[in-house]
Amino acid sequence: MIFSYNQAHIGDVLLVIVADDKGQENQVERKGDIARVSTVEDNQVVGWNIFNATDLLGDIQGSGQVKLTDEQFEKLNEALKEAGFSEQLTSDSTPKIVVGFVKSCKKHPDSDHLSITQTEVDNGEVLQIVCGAPNIKAGQKVVVAKPGAMMPDGLLIWPGVLRGEESFGMICSAKELHLPDAPEKKGILELPFDAEVGSVFPIGE
């Protein structure tokens, strides 16, 4: 689940993104200051728009991807209920952009530039991630954007399939992370080997 807030460009609207619509046509049902966004084909809820968000939740810290306090999360679920929606949101506070360790890396069988990695992201959790960077290799410490992450440019990370191979996240370059003085040359950011796997990696705005 991704919470996004940008008062300067969108206004006092909290965007709650709960699933990838995969390019399907969406429909919106609005009740008061709450709008539910779902797919037309199967009525799957993919997001919520919360208008006049600070009136409901109080001050929202940050811009872009933001975190709600436990109290704000409870207020949001109560507002959904009071508006007449049956759905409730489930909190997920696990970090989404973290240090990872590339345990293995092999060439993609149907691509001359993609690689398939098995990358540990925390406490033994390993994700298969397809990566197109020329400098990717086993044994690296890297930055991983897990499914449910929002990149500094607004890109949302969801599970996908690249040339027939499943991929559960993205191994990031310095430029994608909006780090200062990021090189223009294509390639993932390699971290010092003492970087702690699973630790949060701070990103630029």
Side-chain angles (χ1 to χ4, degrees):
M1 182 183 306
I2 298 170
F3 296 104
S4 178
Y5 185 77
N6 191 327
Q7 188 168 24
H9 293 92
I10 300 177
D12 191 15
V13 182
L14 177 69
L15 306 180
V16 184
I17 305 156
V18 298
D20 182 6
D21 66 8
K22 299 179 180 178
Q24 297 183 66
E25 182 181 357
N26 293 333
Q27 58 192 353
V28 178
E29 179 184 6
R30 180 167 176 172
K31 298 180 180 180
D33 281 338
I34 299 178
R36 178 177 61 186
V37 183
S38 60
T39 57
V40 171
E41 184 176 348
D42 54 13
N43 201 35
Q44 178 192 6
V45 177
V46 294
W48 302 85
N49 296 335
I50 314 299
F51 299 92
N52 299 311
T54 56
D55 290 344
L56 172 63
L57 304 175
D59 186 39
I60 298 174
Q61 297 292 326
S63 180
Q65 185 170 13
V66 297
K67 292 184 178 179
L68 300 187
T69 65
D70 290 343
E71 181 182 4
Q72 288 174 322
F73 199 85
E74 290 179 8
K75 286 182 178 179
L76 183 54
N77 268 331
E78 186 61 31
L80 293 180
K81 183 178 179 181
E82 290 180 356
F85 292 107
S86 60
E87 295 86 358
Q88 291 283 277
L89 303 177
T90 302
S91 178
D92 177 10
S93 59
T94 59
K96 300 302 182 187
I97 299 181
V98 301
V99 175
F101 174 67
V102 183
K103 300 187 72 174
S104 68
C105 179
K106 64 180 183 180
K107 290 296 184 182
H108 192 296
D110 190 33
S111 171
D112 59 2
H113 71 281
L114 296 176
S115 299
I116 303 171
T117 76
Q118 301 296 324
T119 301
E120 184 178 352
V121 291
D122 190 22
N123 292 324
E125 179 188 3
V126 176
L127 300 177
Q128 176 166 294
I129 301 176
V130 178
C131 179
N135 62 329
I136 187 71
K137 61 184 178 181
Q140 291 173 319
K141 292 287 183 71
V142 296
V143 181
V144 176
K146 298 165 64 176
M150 175 183 279
M151 301 300 291
D153 63 359
L155 175 69
L156 304 180
I157 305 301
W158 302 110
V161 178
L162 294 175
R163 294 283 187 94
E165 296 290 340
E166 292 186 318
S167 183
F168 298 92
M170 182 173 73
I171 298 176
C172 306
S173 69
K175 186 176 181 180
E176 288 165 335
L177 295 165
H178 283 203
L179 299 183
D181 302 318
E184 291 296 322
K185 185 178 178 181
K186 186 177 181 181
I188 54 100
L189 174 66
E190 186 171 0
L191 301 177
F193 199 75
D194 60 358
E196 181 182 357
V197 174
S199 61
V200 176
F201 188 87
I203 60 175
E205 296 298 335

